[in-house]
Amino acid sequence: MAVWQLETFTFVEHFASDPALRGRGIGKVVLQEAARLFSGRICLEVELPERNLAKRRIAFYERNGFYLNSYPYVQPPLRKGKKELPLMLMTYGSGVSKEKFETIRDTLYRDVYGQDEVYLTVHRAKDAAVRSFLTDILRQDETLYARFQLFDGHDRGILDMERYRRRVDAIIQKYAGPKQFISYQEVFSFLQEMDEILEQDVRMMLENGHFTEAFY
């Protein structure tokens, strides 16, 4: 079990016991002791109650004084290139108001997961506002639109791959020109732009299983 003692509450994660010791009430004792030590101001993350194992874990925590909060919550990406993970938050003693929940969420994002103010601002915004803003931005930038499709896991059709090919051709034309020759002075800048495509786009294609497109 890992414990984060934050300003107004304690966050508990990785709570688990040896399978050989389960069923002996050890987990209950540990949670009771944690509630005593931290004055009951405890929260933890749980998986969505979609599988039997997740439902059993939630029931275990509920038997030991935790309440499941129904507000939407995601665990931020644990490393670059990974996606958010939909989870739920449980709090000890009682459920919390939406305002309190958002305070807990923002504290976790900032102090546990190291997210910046941009991430917090996006998650505070209403879904409709985010979608409207994103739509306007993607309409203005073809590169961002293609990258968003990759990040969102969309299948890439012929039109999408044609857009990707045009991006690569544009970079080559920018540095090679009509003579199709890249000067020594321009090589570094050319490689930087191509490396960005490899790092951002091609890597995401591979992670999403688009192997044919990655080597298009």
Side-chain angles (χ1 to χ4, degrees), residues 30 46 57 60 99 103 138 164 172 179 188 215:
V30 171
V46 291
R57 285 174 177 163
F60 166 75
E99 181 180 5
T103 299
L138 296 182
Y164 172 71
I172 294 173
K179 294 182 179 180
F188 182 72
F215 297 99

Side-chain angles (χ1 to χ4, degrees), residues 57-191:
R57 285 174 177 163
I58 291 172
F60 166 75
Y61 289 125
E62 288 177 331
R63 290 195 301 272
N64 288 281
F66 284 83
Y67 287 75
L68 186 66
N69 296 280
S70 60
Y71 309 111
Y73 174 81
V74 295
Q75 183 187 73
L78 298 181
R79 64 184 178 88
K80 186 178 179 180
K82 293 299 182 181
K83 295 184 178 182
E84 298 173 333
L85 177 64
L87 297 175
M88 299 183 77
L89 286 182
M90 299 189 75
T91 48
Y92 185 81
S94 67
V96 296
S97 66
K98 188 173 186 295
E99 181 180 5
K100 179 64 175 178
F101 174 86
E102 291 174 349
T103 299
I104 293 173
R105 178 200 63 195
D106 289 356
T107 301
L108 291 176
Y109 286 172
R110 182 180 57 250
D111 297 339
V112 175
Y113 293 105
Q115 296 298 326
D116 60 13
E117 190 62 28
V118 173
Y119 189 88
L120 294 176
T121 299
V122 170
H123 280 270
R124 290 173 188 144
K126 296 180 179 179
D127 288 349
V130 172
R131 291 180 184 276
S132 177
F133 181 78
L134 184 59
T135 299
D136 289 342
I137 292 296
L138 296 182
R139 281 175 175 160
Q140 298 173 35
D141 193 315
E142 188 175 82
T143 299
L144 282 179
Y145 175 60
R147 191 163 294 166
F148 176 74
Q149 286 188 307
L150 282 171
F151 182 79
D152 197 42
H154 280 74
D155 290 332
R156 297 182 62 82
I158 295 175
L159 181 61
D160 293 322
M161 291 311 302
E162 181 62 23
R163 181 184 292 112
Y164 172 71
R165 185 186 64 79
R166 288 201 305 270
R167 286 180 55 210
V168 175
D169 287 348
I171 294 174
I172 294 173
Q173 185 62 28
K174 174 182 175 181
Y175 291 98
K179 294 182 179 180
Q180 296 296 293
F181 175 79
I182 301 176
S183 68
Y184 174 78
Q185 292 83 358
E186 297 282 2
V187 167
F188 182 72
S189 297
F190 169 74
L191 292 177

Side-chain angles (χ1 to χ4, degrees), residues 24-41:
R24 302 183 184 183
I26 296 175
K28 178 180 180 179
V29 171
V30 171
L31 289 178
Q32 289 176 342
E33 182 63 13
R36 185 188 67 79
L37 287 173
F38 306 122
S39 303
R41 295 177 297 178

Side-chain angles (χ1 to χ4, degrees), residues 48 58 178 195 204:
L48 301 181
I58 291 172
D195 186 63
M204 291 174 71

